[in-house]
Amino acid sequence: MSISCFVCALALVASSASISPAQESARLAQDPAVKAALDAAKRNEPHFLDEQIRICEIPAPPFHEDARGRELERLFRQMGLQNVRIDKAGNVIGVRPGAAVHPNLLFQAHLDTVFPPETNVKVTREGDVLKGPGIGDDCRGLAMMLGVIQALNDAKVQTPGTITFVADTGEEGLGDLRGTKNLFNETLKGQIDKFVSVDGTGLGITNVGVGSYRYRATFKGPGGHSFGAFGMANPIQAMGRAIAKIDSFEVPSSPKTTFNVGRVGGGTSVNAIPFECWMEVDMRSSDKDSLETLHGKYNAAVQQAVEEENKRWNGRSPVSVDNALVGYRPAGITPADSPIVLAAIAVTKLFGAPGALREGSTDSNVPMNLGIPAVTIGSGGAGSGAHSLNETFNTKDSWLGTQRGLLLAVTLAR
Amino acid sequence: MSISCFVCALALVASSASISPAQESARLAQDPAVKAALDAAKRNEPHFLDEQIRICEIPAPPFHEDARGRELERLFRQMGLQNVRIDKAGNVIGVRPGAAVHPNLLFQAHLDTVFPPETNVKVTREGDVLKGPGIGDDCRGLAMMLGVIQALNDAKVQTPGTITFVADTGEEGLGDLRGTKNLFNETLKGQIDKFVSVDGTGLGITNVGVGSYRYRATFKGPGGHSFGAFGMANPIQAMGRAIAKIDSFEVPSSPKTTFNVGRVGGGTSVNAIPFECWMEVDMRSSDKDSLETLHGKYNAAVQQAVEEENKRWNGRSPVSVDNALVGYRPAGITPADSPIVLAAIAVTKLFGAPGALREGSTDSNVPMNLGIPAVTIGSGGAGSGAHSLNETFNTKDSWLGTQRGLLLAVTLAR
């Protein structure tokens, strides 16, 4: 028996002998320091609901999260996080060191909203209900994260591993997860062992990251008179061939894999061969390989359509295509029986929620795609109308979300 | 030999013995009354250029030709035409009786322009050049027609047959030849033996009427989220199938037959299954049968595409189509060796122009389609920028156009 195999065997014995995630989280919840932190989280909740409103009233439109980011940077410093900085993608980073550098848990919420700069971001409060664009998604996540940091500080909780807190950029729409991509590809490359993002409300757990490709394909030709110039290749007709091919794609129903031609446009007049047209296409899957296969099929279909169109018109005034990738969210799954998911379920159940698992498209897609254990959790309370101007957040028992997040962070930072 | 065959033989002898159209028009040009009329046409030209400007400054947008029509009605009465009236399509009709009711030559120019009501229709004059929207197409045609009537009156020309003068509506674009269709289908149904429309400038002759069908097909379905509702039929994808089928149509190159998908649009977001999209399609041919065949293929392709789309998604949330015909111009040809075309060529050559034949899409399409001898002739002078705000008409030697039109009218009204 070689030494390495002896180590393997030992590890196996240790794993089998170790207590379950449910037992571990239940034990931690009774640890005096952690218990004190959970109490602090509940006690501090009214303050962090005020902070949630204040943060929400600092606009953070897509690609313009800097003002809100600077406020988070100030708060991170004020709360004593270490090495506080803003990276080139606009992510605000602060470290709460543990006894060791590893395991290093990245715990984050996103700064950006879907709302354009001119949006009125004033928040109103009526009874338990806060109303304002972004109040739940993800100002609640940011405030809940701050509540976790403050409670850990108040109770002087010392974790065996490190927790790196981040307020990240570009989670929404065309932001295309650029903040989190930059964290894993550059700023914190190779340094993160586990990942939790706080996004949305309630006590849900997302362990499947639905990936997507988004394209805008523009077909071009010289154009001309429909009668006089007849015989030229036609960009709209090339695009029609591409769409017909896409429509015939076969995709697996499990893991769910989808495609959609969502928008088209182009042409100037019914009696003119168009010089330009375009289509926007969306493809999704929670399975990396299925998504890559579909991506390949799509690219081939667009090229084939153009070739067929040019051949059909004998190469006269050929059409070309600019097939632009305008969005990419990598797909990934953190297995339902992995330690991080089991821990999330166990912790969630301690707070009376079912701990059911969901699919979604969030910052977790990035680490999931890299094989790094990751989940996205809700931030407590109850939300409605996310991505609308009528977004609300119901604060009733929202402290449970902060406590759940805190206990999960402490469970994973070891 | 039966009596009928004896009549045939006589007709044949008469035909062989009759003088050629070239000889006939040359002879008529020397007829004292006709010669006096030709002189009057030249002498009156400056007055009718002023009239051309005045008429052009009365707006006549598509479907709103009534103001200009009332002025033509007034002029027709002033010039002594008989039975002057405006029919339900807005055509202004006036008769110059001949010695007999037949042959009845319909001689017309169109009232309508392509310009919307808010267009500034002020005409400017610089040297020989008049500039203003519609100045050539077809205010020149209207003024030239008035010049013909006045010259015939001045010289007291008595034609053997009748000439019915018309200022007609709806020649342009979506007007869809509605004025001329109404003349042949209702107002003057069965009464017209020959047809000349004056359209465009120069001394051209159009004897081939390119027909067209125009469609706007709108595809509809319930729409939904690209991922959540995946599996529903998609209107854009149904349309793509239709376009791919259209692109594969085989059409004859002679008689030239064409098709074009000119514009497309639809969809609200890349990640939404669209609830609606549309395409605009144009098809043309100078051959009636080829055009009807293509029309049938198009309708079948659209229906098949929708059926395929619904089958492909197992009938879930099916797509439907509203396949609207938004334009129809009948096709037709007046043979190059027919008496009316030979007469037009001969008359034109007398004025030093080559008498070349053209294809076009004009009011003549309607009688050509019915087998009634028809040509469209230019109105003299030289035009540029038709259908643009910078349209011009160069008046140099424009009287040649009036003379050519007059001599052709006199040649045909017998």
Side-chain angles (χ1 to χ4, degrees):
Chain A
M1 188 183 275
S2 70
I3 292 176
S4 63
C5 278
F6 176 73
V7 171
C8 291
L10 265 187
L12 202 65
V13 171
S15 171
S16 304
S18 69
I19 59 175
S20 73
Q23 291 170 314
E24 172 75 354
S25 54
R27 186 189 67 73
L28 271 173
Q30 297 308 318
D31 174 275
V34 174
K35 206 161 181 298
L38 292 171
D39 290 344
K42 182 172 182 181
R43 192 171 58 243
N44 295 340
E45 187 73 7
H47 170 70
F48 286 103
L49 288 173
D50 290 344
E51 287 293 86
Q52 183 176 337
I53 293 170
R54 195 173 63 80
I55 291 166
C56 197
E57 291 180 346
I58 304 169
F63 300 95
H64 296 284
E65 303 99 332
D66 43 319
R68 187 178 287 177
R70 283 193 301 274
E71 177 58 12
L72 265 291
E73 182 190 27
R74 189 185 71 78
L75 291 166
F76 276 9
R77 288 192 202 284
Q78 194 183 56
M79 290 175 148
L81 295 185
Q82 307 288 299
N83 194 16
V84 173
R85 63 202 192 275
I86 296 182
D87 74 3
K88 72 171 190 187
N91 297 303
V92 185
I93 303 159
V95 179
R96 190 170 193 279
V101 172
H102 290 283
N104 187 357
L105 168 67
L106 179 48
F107 191 101
Q108 71 177 33
H110 68 83
L111 287 163
D112 58 310
T113 70
V114 298
F115 305 101
E118 62 273 19
T119 308
N120 179 358
V121 291
K122 182 75 190 162
V123 177
T124 59
R125 187 169 196 160
E126 207 167 303
D128 284 342
V129 178
L130 311 183
K131 182 174 169 187
I135 189 65
D137 183 11
D138 195 28
C139 293
R140 171 59 192 171
L142 292 167
M144 182 272 236
M145 176 171 68
L146 294 172
V148 167
I149 300 168
Q150 187 62 51
L152 291 174
N153 288 353
D154 286 356
K156 298 191 172 58
V157 173
Q158 169 77 51
T159 52
T162 295
I163 308 178
T164 300
F165 290 95
V166 170
D168 67 291
T169 56
E171 194 277 337
E172 301 286 5
L174 291 178
D176 214 26
L177 310 185
R178 79 178 188 290
T180 304
K181 285 175 183 171
N182 194 63
L183 289 172
F184 282 91
N185 296 331
E186 296 203 21
T187 312
L188 301 175
K189 187 174 180 177
Q191 301 172 35
I192 304 301
D193 305 301
K194 305 177 188 179
F195 179 91
V196 171
S197 79
V198 186
D199 203 349
T201 54
L203 294 176
I205 303 164
T206 301
N207 75 314
V208 175
V210 177
S212 62
Y213 277 104
R214 288 180 176 176
Y215 320 84
R216 183 178 166 105
T218 304
F219 299 76
K220 293 181 187 179
H225 193 279
S226 66
F227 187 73
F230 182 72
M232 289 169 55
N234 178 318
I236 287 181
Q237 291 164 208
M239 184 170 81
R241 287 180 179 269
I243 294 172
K245 287 180 194 299
I246 292 167
D247 193 48
S248 299
F249 287 169
E250 292 295 336
V251 286
S253 56
S254 176
K256 186 174 178 179
T257 303
T258 70
F259 57 86
N260 183 59
V261 185
R263 292 178 70 216
V264 291
T268 55
S269 173
V270 64
N271 59 344
I273 299 167
F275 60 86
E276 189 173 303
C277 66
W278 53 268
M279 64 176 180
E280 290 179 355
V281 181
D282 171 83
M283 292 180 172
R284 304 192 187 200
S285 182
S286 54
D287 181 60
K288 270 199 275 197
D289 293 342
S290 297
L291 189 60
E292 288 307 315
T293 300
L294 193 55
H295 174 58
K297 277 188 184 178
Y298 165 80
N299 284 319
V302 169
Q303 290 308 325
Q304 279 167 17
V306 168
E307 284 163 24
E308 282 177 16
E309 175 68 7
N310 291 334
K311 193 173 168 196
R312 190 256 173 275
W313 299 103
N314 305 312
R316 189 171 154 210
S317 307
V319 165
S320 64
V321 64
D322 172 17
N323 185 16
L325 182 66
V326 293
Y328 169 60
R329 294 180 173 228
I333 296 180
T334 305
D337 59 354
S338 64
I340 189 171
V341 174
L342 293 176
I345 294 170
V347 167
T348 301
K349 285 184 172 171
L350 284 179
F351 294 93
L357 299 178
R358 299 176 180 173
E359 295 190 341
S361 178
T362 67
D363 280 333
S364 281
N365 282 41
V366 178
M368 284 172 180
N369 184 260
L370 295 170
I372 296 171
V375 289
T376 293
I377 60 171
S379 54
S384 77
H387 294 196
S388 86
L389 296 175
N390 297 318
E391 186 174 355
T392 66
F393 178 71
N394 190 320
T395 63
K396 185 163 187 302
D397 297 337
S398 61
W399 51 272
L400 286 169
T402 315
Q403 288 188 332
R404 197 258 309 237
L406 186 149
L407 187 57
L408 182 60
V410 170
T411 304
L412 298 175
R414 56 193 313 112
Chain B
M1 188 183 274
S2 71
I3 292 175
S4 63
C5 278
F6 176 71
V7 172
C8 290
L10 265 188
L12 202 64
V13 170
S15 172
S16 303
S18 70
I19 59 174
S20 72
Q23 291 169 312
E24 171 75 354
S25 53
R27 186 189 66 76
L28 270 173
Q30 297 309 318
D31 174 277
V34 174
K35 205 161 181 298
L38 293 171
D39 290 344
K42 182 172 182 182
R43 195 171 57 243
N44 295 341
E45 187 73 6
H47 170 70
F48 287 103
L49 289 173
D50 290 345
E51 287 292 87
Q52 183 177 337
I53 293 170
R54 196 174 62 79
I55 290 166
C56 197
E57 291 181 345
I58 305 170
F63 300 95
H64 296 283
E65 304 99 332
D66 44 318
R68 187 177 288 176
R70 284 193 301 274
E71 177 58 12
L72 266 290
E73 182 190 27
R74 189 184 73 78
L75 292 167
F76 276 9
R77 289 191 201 284
Q78 193 183 60
M79 290 174 148
L81 296 185
Q82 308 287 301
N83 194 16
V84 173
R85 62 201 192 275
I86 297 182
D87 74 2
K88 72 170 192 188
N91 297 303
V92 185
I93 303 159
V95 179
R96 190 170 191 279
V101 173
H102 290 283
N104 188 357
L105 168 67
L106 179 48
F107 191 100
Q108 71 178 35
H110 68 84
L111 288 163
D112 58 310
T113 70
V114 299
F115 304 102
E118 63 273 20
T119 308
N120 179 358
V121 291
K122 182 76 190 161
V123 177
T124 59
R125 188 168 195 159
E126 205 167 304
D128 284 341
V129 177
L130 312 183
K131 182 175 169 188
I135 188 66
D137 182 11
D138 194 28
C139 293
R140 171 59 192 170
L142 292 167
M144 183 272 235
M145 176 171 69
L146 294 172
V148 167
I149 300 168
Q150 187 63 51
L152 291 173
N153 288 353
D154 287 356
K156 297 191 172 56
V157 173
Q158 170 75 54
T159 51
T162 295
I163 308 179
T164 300
F165 291 95
V166 169
D168 67 291
T169 56
E171 195 275 338
E172 300 286 6
L174 291 179
D176 214 26
L177 311 184
R178 79 178 189 289
T180 304
K181 285 176 183 170
N182 194 64
L183 290 172
F184 283 92
N185 295 332
E186 296 203 22
T187 312
L188 301 174
K189 187 174 182 178
Q191 301 171 35
I192 304 302
D193 305 301
K194 306 176 188 178
F195 179 92
V196 171
S197 79
V198 186
D199 204 350
T201 55
L203 294 175
I205 303 165
T206 300
N207 75 315
V208 175
V210 177
S212 64
Y213 277 104
R214 288 180 176 177
Y215 320 84
R216 184 177 165 106
T218 305
F219 298 77
K220 293 181 186 179
H225 192 279
S226 66
F227 187 73
F230 182 71
M232 289 169 56
N234 178 318
I236 287 179
Q237 290 164 210
M239 184 168 81
R241 287 180 179 268
I243 295 171
K245 288 179 194 298
I246 292 167
D247 194 48
S248 299
F249 288 169
E250 292 295 336
V251 286
S253 56
S254 176
K256 186 173 178 179
T257 303
T258 69
F259 58 87
N260 182 58
V261 184
R263 293 177 71 215
V264 290
T268 53
S269 174
V270 64
N271 60 344
I273 300 167
F275 60 87
E276 189 173 303
C277 68
W278 53 268
M279 63 176 180
E280 290 179 355
V281 181
D282 172 83
M283 292 180 172
R284 305 192 187 201
S285 182
S286 53
D287 180 59
K288 271 199 274 195
D289 294 342
S290 297
L291 189 60
E292 288 307 315
T293 301
L294 194 55
H295 174 58
K297 278 188 184 177
Y298 166 80
N299 284 319
V302 169
Q303 290 307 326
Q304 278 166 18
V306 168
E307 283 162 24
E308 283 177 17
E309 176 67 8
N310 290 333
K311 192 172 168 198
R312 190 256 173 275
W313 300 104
N314 305 312
R316 188 171 154 210
S317 308
V319 164
S320 63
V321 65
D322 172 17
N323 185 16
L325 182 66
V326 294
Y328 168 61
R329 294 179 173 230
I333 297 180
T334 304
D337 59 354
S338 64
I340 190 171
V341 174
L342 293 175
I345 293 169
V347 167
T348 301
K349 285 185 171 170
L350 285 180
F351 295 92
L357 300 178
R358 298 177 180 173
E359 296 189 339
S361 178
T362 68
D363 281 333
S364 282
N365 282 41
V366 178
M368 284 172 180
N369 183 260
L370 295 170
I372 296 171
V375 290
T376 293
I377 61 171
S379 54
S384 77
H387 294 197
S388 86
L389 296 175
N390 297 318
E391 187 173 355
T392 66
F393 178 71
N394 190 321
T395 63
K396 187 164 185 304
D397 296 337
S398 61
W399 51 272
L400 285 169
T402 315
Q403 288 189 332
R404 197 260 306 241
L406 186 150
L407 187 57
L408 182 60
V410 170
T411 305
L412 297 175
R414 54 193 313 114

